[in-house]
Amino acid sequence: TFVRQVLAVCMYPQIPKGTFPADVHDRADKILSNCAGRSIGSSSASAGLPLLRQDVLNYLQTRDGGDVSIDNIFLCAGASSGIRVILQMLMERPGYGHQTPGVLVPIPQYPLYSATITEYGAQRIGYYLDEDNGWALDLKAVKKDLDRARSYTDPRCMVVINPGNPTGQVLSKENMEEVIVFCYD
């Protein structure tokens, strides 16, 4: 496949031209020219290669329109590593009043969140999804859980899994907007 061929040329640039289609070599050359020493083994910016981030930006602007900044694009090696980076970043500063950092997490949820929160010495603040209502997210109930948790933890963020794993629910646009306002407030 194209992606495997590009990776092969990036990993071993000495592969003779003509071994793969010309566009494979062109893409590999474009990627390697953005790597220090033309090597994919070199250190790169934490947010990812600027070339690839620009490609993501172009795609998002074409698909969604709007104004997107390359500074807001952070590439990682999959969802799990991205989750770990963000949670670690949010857990590093001391809590207010020396309280343990807290993270609002849905129940049920993918276990990566609970395990990572525990690993980083933070407090899981569980909020229950409404099974009888298609696993909906009830922000009034979340607010109660959050208010209770403030006595023993410093809430830092809210995990919203959409589409839900393991429930499969999909939040409405209105519900997603409500979550943004809830977190902002």
Side-chain angles (χ1 to χ4, degrees):
T1 66
F2 179 76
V3 172
R4 288 183 183 154
Q5 292 170 345
V6 170
L7 287 172
V9 175
C10 285
M11 292 176 72
Y12 189 70
Q14 297 82 358
I15 291 177
K17 298 246 186 212
T19 303
F20 297 122
D23 62 337
V24 168
H25 289 277
D26 292 344
R27 180 70 61 93
D29 186 59
K30 189 175 176 183
I31 292 169
L32 289 171
S33 67
N34 279 265
C35 297
R38 292 187 54 84
S39 170
I40 59 171
S42 64
S43 293
S44 64
S46 295
L49 288 177
L51 166 77
L52 301 179
R53 291 170 57 218
Q54 184 65 48
D55 287 346
V56 170
L57 180 140
N58 295 342
Y59 172 79
L60 291 173
Q61 286 182 326
T62 300
R63 186 191 72 182
D64 301 335
D67 188 24
V68 179
S69 169
I70 196 166
D71 295 330
N72 294 329
I73 297 174
F74 188 98
L75 303 178
C76 54
S80 294
S81 65
I83 290 163
R84 294 176 63 79
V85 165
I86 290 170
L87 287 175
Q88 183 177 25
M89 176 185 66
L90 292 169
M91 300 302 112
E92 284 187 347
R93 68 174 173 78
Y96 301 111
H98 305 290
Q99 288 181 319
T100 303
V103 180
L104 281 159
V105 182
I107 300 171
Q109 50 91 12
Y110 184 67
L112 168 70
Y113 295 96
S114 295
T116 303
I117 291 165
T118 300
E119 177 184 349
Y120 293 155
Q123 181 71 44
R124 182 174 59 88
I125 307 165
Y127 67 89
Y128 286 88
L129 299 174
D130 185 355
E131 182 176 5
D132 294 332
N133 194 16
W135 299 104
L137 184 111
D138 178 359
L139 287 173
K140 289 178 186 165
V142 175
K143 174 92 169 95
K144 289 178 185 175
D145 294 327
L146 177 62
D147 289 343
R148 272 193 300 273
R150 288 187 193 278
S151 67
Y152 60 87
T153 189
D154 169 27
R156 304 280 176 89
C157 65
M158 178 178 181
V159 172
V160 178
I161 306 171
N162 189 39
N165 181 355
T167 63
Q169 97 287 6
V170 176
L171 300 177
S172 68
K173 179 181 179 187
E174 295 77 24
N175 203 194
M176 288 187 283
E177 290 169 348
E178 292 167 354
V179 168
I180 292 167
V181 169
F182 175 83
C183 290
Y184 181 80
D185 291 343

